[in-house]
Amino acid sequence: MPRKFGEIAFTPEVQAAQLQRGSRQTYERYIANGPANDSITPQIAEFIAHLDGFYLGTVSSNGYPYIQFRGGAPGFLKLINDKTLGFADFSGNVQYITVGNLSGESKAFLFLMDYRHRKRIKIWGTAEYIEDDAVLIEQLRIPDYPAEIERAILFHVEAISENCPQHIPIRYSMTEVEAMMAPLQARISELEQLLKEKNSPSD
């Protein structure tokens, strides 16, 4: 079964570039033999559940790509089913470029990054925005997150590709750093208290 992302990403122009540079034969075999990778697996769902941000790509009517970072509490990109992801679209700078782009062209792209574990996943598909659907918006709501939700955005998966970690820098979020530092800070406080007791005047 051919891998679906090759059918989308490896256009005739890309294939020509691969052929010219000597990688076409390798990728032709790779694409032809393997899983379709056109749905969200349990492993990918677990990866997504820990994300606190991702990049969303859309296409404007003049042909230019538009990339936007979307952030929120871990798990705000939600699994609807193995072919569909969804997230709440919060109030922002009211430019509405993503909404406008999706009004004319549904093709979209998700770039998912986990810098701490040096892992990235690319997802091709189509997207749509949905307004005035209280049930869906409630399904995508993040508990205790105060931002106003303007609409829901659904992403329909067509192909997935997982990349190697080469050249991905290791980065930590503030929450991750605080969690790693907590035991050290507790130990420092403990040692400071022992030192204080040792140096305090005896009765």
Side-chain angles (χ1 to χ4, degrees), residues 101-120:
N101 287 351
L102 292 177
S103 298
E105 174 57 73
S106 64
K107 289 187 177 68
F109 185 83
L110 289 178
F111 195 85
L112 313 180
M113 285 291 299
D114 179 349
Y115 289 100
R116 178 179 179 181
H117 300 100
R118 303 180 71 223
K119 184 174 182 179
R120 60 189 171 194

Side-chain angles (χ1 to χ4, degrees), residues 6 14 17 19 21 25 43 60 67 69 71-72 78 81 85 93 100 102 124 129 138 145-146 160 172-173 176 185 201:
V14 172
L19 183 62
R21 293 160 178 80
Q25 188 174 10
Q43 292 77 19
S60 65
I67 307 297
F69 179 80
K78 297 182 181 293
N81 56 54
L85 298 168
N93 59 13
L102 292 177
W124 290 260
Y129 66 88
E138 193 61 35
Y145 196 73
I160 300 171
Y172 296 90
S173 69
E176 290 169 336
Q185 291 174 335

Side-chain angles (χ1 to χ4, degrees), residues 36 125 132 158 168:
D132 302 322
E158 294 184 6
I168 298 177

Side-chain angles (χ1 to χ4, degrees), residues 100-174:
N101 287 351
L102 292 177
S103 298
E105 174 57 73
S106 64
K107 289 187 177 68
F109 185 83
L110 289 178
F111 195 85
L112 313 180
M113 285 291 299
D114 179 349
Y115 289 100
R116 178 179 179 181
H117 300 100
R118 303 180 71 223
K119 184 174 182 179
R120 60 189 171 194
I121 295 178
K122 299 182 292 186
I123 307 180
W124 290 260
T126 60
E128 60 177 320
Y129 66 88
I130 300 173
E131 298 177 326
D132 302 322
D133 187 333
V135 175
L136 178 59
I137 288 176
E138 193 61 35
Q139 182 181 356
L140 298 176
R141 186 179 302 278
I142 303 171
D144 302 321
Y145 196 73
E148 179 184 352
I149 300 174
E150 290 193 347
R151 64 190 58 80
I153 293 182
L154 296 181
F155 187 96
H156 305 287
V157 176
E158 294 184 6
I160 300 171
S161 176
E162 300 184 49
N163 291 107
C164 70
Q166 188 177 15
H167 306 305
I168 298 177
I170 298 176
R171 295 174 180 168
Y172 296 90
S173 69
M174 183 179 296

